Structures are given as structure tokens and as C-alpha cells.
Amino acid sequence: MIIFKSINKLKNQVNFKANLGFVPTMGSLHKGHISLIKTSKQKCYKTLVSIFVNPSQFNKKKDYRSYPRNLNNDLKILKKLKVDYVLIPKINDIYKTKREMQIKLNKTDKILCSKYRPGHFEGVLGVISIFLKNIKAKFMFMGNKDFQQLYLIRKYLGKRFKTKIINCKTIRFKNSFAYSSRNKLLSKKNLKNAILISNVLKRFHNLIIKDFSKVKEIKNINYKISKKCSKLEYLEIRNKDNLRKKINRNNFKIFVAYYLDDVRLIDNF
Ligand code: AMP
């Protein structure tokens, strides 16, 4: 496993003509990341994983500072998985190319997380755009857990780069809540609440599949979830193809963002 601390060094040493799979992460690796890496290893000749906690996608400094970091353990995991390359860039290395960071979202995309986290996706799009400009991977693997992120990356960057974006399924703890680096910040009590909330949403999802008219029960579900968390930021059902509100039984997806104490979690079903 070769570890690069700068994009330039990586560009000089990695053969982009080989079938390269790229998995961008913010580290503190868990089973969700591991599943993306395994998918890349199955599909590609070489796999590159980046670890970069990107400050520009945090709209609160405190959130950036408290984001879980565990580099030594991450490297152990990546070595065990026999990942070929790891990129751990410095902030200056990414931010010297300021122009790429200036991606503006259309007003119609300021929904769900981008409504509540101003500047967040602009930060995500900026850093992914810098990565894709420099890392000529054949495939980039990303999780459906961050569905809106994937949607916006496809929409704003999909045509600008040759790298093919691959959606990967959400990996869940015991079939309930999604693995997330932020889960490490949860108390035992809140882990239980996360399980309860995801079970409510899973049941609601199955109910709508059986009987689409049940979408109107969203108010009850909203009430149930609000009781189990510190703050329900949003609970919405949208069309998974365009994230609009016009839905039918074949294209609906339930999106949620909530706080357990001051830990913000998102999911979709
Ligand atoms: P992050 O480190 O949180 O920025 O996530 C890096 C990548 O891992 C993103 O593409 C996420 O969507 C993906 N990811 C995070 N959690 C999960 C999960 N539970 N299942 C599948 N993919 C995930």
C-alpha cells in the first residue's frame, strides 16, 4: 500500500491508464466505507482511497473540529483490505486551486440538506471536482446513504469528467440505522434511539410500498420520530430520480435528517 500526502506525488506515480477505482472518504472508516472499497477492488485493477476531512463542507466550525478522526486505525483497515493507494492530502494542497471550489447550486437544488446546511454541497462539489480533475480514475464509488450528495455530484460534475460514478448500497447496523462515522459520537441511549427511528422509517417505507395512499401518514411518522430525537430537521418524501416532490409508488424515497443531542444524522429509505 502506497500512502501519498500530496496530489502531485500521486499524479507522478499512479498509472491512470490502468483500471483505477477511487473511493473518497473523510476517514474514521466503518463497514459502509469498507463495502465501497470491496466493490472497487472487485471491479478495478487498482484501488485508491482518499482520507480528507474537508473543512469547506462543514457549515459549523465546531462540527468540523468534533468530526471523528482515527487515521492510525484507518490505515490498519486499508492495509488489511490490501488497498493499493491512499491519498491523505493537506488542506493547502486542495485549496490552492480556488477556482474549482466556486460551484454554485441552482435555487431548485437548495432542498433537504442543502436547505439546512448552506454551503455544504458547494464544499463537497468543490473538493470532488479537484479530486476528479487530478485523479483520472475510471470509476468513483459512493454510497447511497448520502443520496443527495450523489445526486448533486452526478448533476454538476458527471459530464465534466470521464470518471464513471457508481452508486453503492447503504450498509446498515443489524439491518437498522446506516453506518456513519458520526455514530462514534453517540451515547448508548442515542444508539437505541437511532435504531428505533430507522425501524419506524423502514416500516413506513414498507407500508407505502403495500399501499401508496399511506404517504399521507407522514405527519404521524414525523410526530413519532420527533419524540425519539433532540430535533427533527426534515422528514420528506421525494422523487428519487429528480428530488422533486411529485412522487409515485415506483420512484418515492423517504429522506430524513435529525439530531441526537448535538450529533446530526441523515438517512434515506
Ligand atoms: P464520508 O467518509 O462520510 O464522507 O463517506 C465517504 C463515502 O462513504 C461516501 O460516498 C458515503 O456515501 C459512503 N458511505 C458512508 N456511510 C455509508 C454506509 N453506511 N453505507 C454505504 N456507504 C456509505
Side-chain angles (χ1 to χ4, degrees):
M1 181 167 97
I2 308 178
I3 300 171
F4 296 101
K5 299 239 164 119
S6 102
I7 293 191
N8 271 341
K9 281 199 185 129
L10 178 141
K11 273 163 75 177
N12 292 335
Q13 287 188 44
V14 172
N15 175 11
F16 292 130
K17 291 208 174 83
N19 170 359
L20 179 72
F22 174 40
V23 182
T25 81
M26 296 208 295
S28 232
L29 302 178
H30 52 68
K31 289 190 178 164
H33 299 116
I34 291 173
S35 145
L36 303 186
I37 295 166
K38 285 189 173 162
T39 309
S40 170
K41 283 191 64 84
Q42 275 164 14
K43 207 173 159 72
C44 303
Y45 176 59
K46 298 277 183 188
T47 290
L48 160 67
V49 176
S50 66
I51 299 178
F52 181 60
V53 184
N54 173 31
S56 76
Q57 70 187 68
F58 288 83
N59 47 335
K60 289 181 192 151
K61 269 197 182 140
K62 188 174 164 237
D63 191 23
Y64 171 66
R65 279 198 299 265
S66 63
Y67 194 83
R69 291 162 172 86
N70 203 344
L71 190 56
N72 287 341
N73 195 49
D74 288 350
L75 292 175
K76 269 191 212 152
I77 293 173
L78 296 174
K79 220 173 188 175
K80 209 166 152 198
L81 288 169
K82 297 197 167 70
V83 163
D84 302 281
Y85 310 116
V86 183
L87 172 65
I88 312 171
K90 298 259 174 344
I91 290 180
N92 291 348
D93 196 27
I94 298 291
Y95 288 92
K96 65 183 171 220
T97 42
K98 270 250 157 75
R99 214 155 51 90
E100 271 90 345
M101 305 303 289
Q102 285 161 3
I103 295 171
K104 276 204 172 141
L105 288 190
N106 298 337
K107 221 172 161 188
T108 53
D109 287 321
K110 297 201 173 166
I111 54 171
L112 303 172
C113 285
S114 53
K115 178 171 166 193
Y116 293 94
R117 299 186 73 189
H120 165 65
F121 286 120
E122 287 84 344
V124 172
L125 290 168
V127 78
I128 295 292
S129 141
I130 288 168
F131 280 149
L132 293 184
K133 190 176 165 207
N134 290 287
I135 299 165
K136 316 267 184 222
K138 193 157 180 196
F139 299 100
M140 176 168 70
F141 298 88
M142 305 198 90
N144 275 338
K145 145 122 191 328
D146 298 278
F147 196 90
Q148 189 180 13
Q149 166 173 287
L150 242 167
Y151 170 83
L152 293 172
I153 289 174
R154 265 186 202 290
K155 178 168 174 177
Y156 286 85
L157 305 179
K159 290 200 185 101
R160 279 177 44 192
F161 301 98
K162 284 195 181 139
T163 303
K164 199 164 173 242
I165 301 162
I166 309 285
N167 286 51
C168 300
K169 72 169 185 185
T170 301
I171 306 298
R172 297 179 177 281
F173 173 79
K174 293 192 179 162
N175 213 9
S176 77
F177 64 84
Y179 280 103
S180 156
S181 304
R182 291 178 197 270
N183 293 350
K184 294 194 174 97
L185 304 171
L186 293 176
S187 63
K188 268 198 181 150
K189 182 177 139 245
N190 278 336
L191 274 172
K192 279 193 188 147
N193 284 327
I195 293 176
L196 290 173
I197 289 171
S198 55
N199 290 348
V200 167
L201 288 168
K202 208 167 59 186
R203 277 202 301 274
F204 184 40
H205 178 262
N206 292 341
L207 195 68
I208 301 174
I209 288 181
K210 277 196 200 129
D211 176 359
F212 188 68
S213 71
K214 300 286 186 197
V215 285
K216 57 180 183 293
E217 293 203 2
I218 192 158
K219 274 192 187 150
N220 293 336
I221 303 297
N222 194 307
Y223 178 70
K224 270 190 189 169
I225 293 178
S226 299
K227 281 201 308 194
K228 296 282 166 224
C229 64
S230 319
K231 186 172 114 191
L232 175 58
E233 195 167 72
Y234 64 75
L235 172 68
E236 291 188 34
I237 309 181
R238 288 185 176 258
N239 180 325
K240 64 178 186 265
D241 299 324
N242 54 20
L243 296 190
R244 299 291 107 214
K245 283 192 170 163
K246 201 165 172 221
I247 50 167
N248 63 43
R249 65 181 69 239
N250 299 317
N251 64 23
F252 80 93
K253 205 175 229 320
I254 306 168
F255 293 89
V256 70
Y258 59 93
Y259 283 85
L260 290 169
D261 290 331
D262 53 0
V263 183
R264 183 179 183 274
L265 298 176
I266 58 167
D267 208 341
N268 60 81
F269 293 82

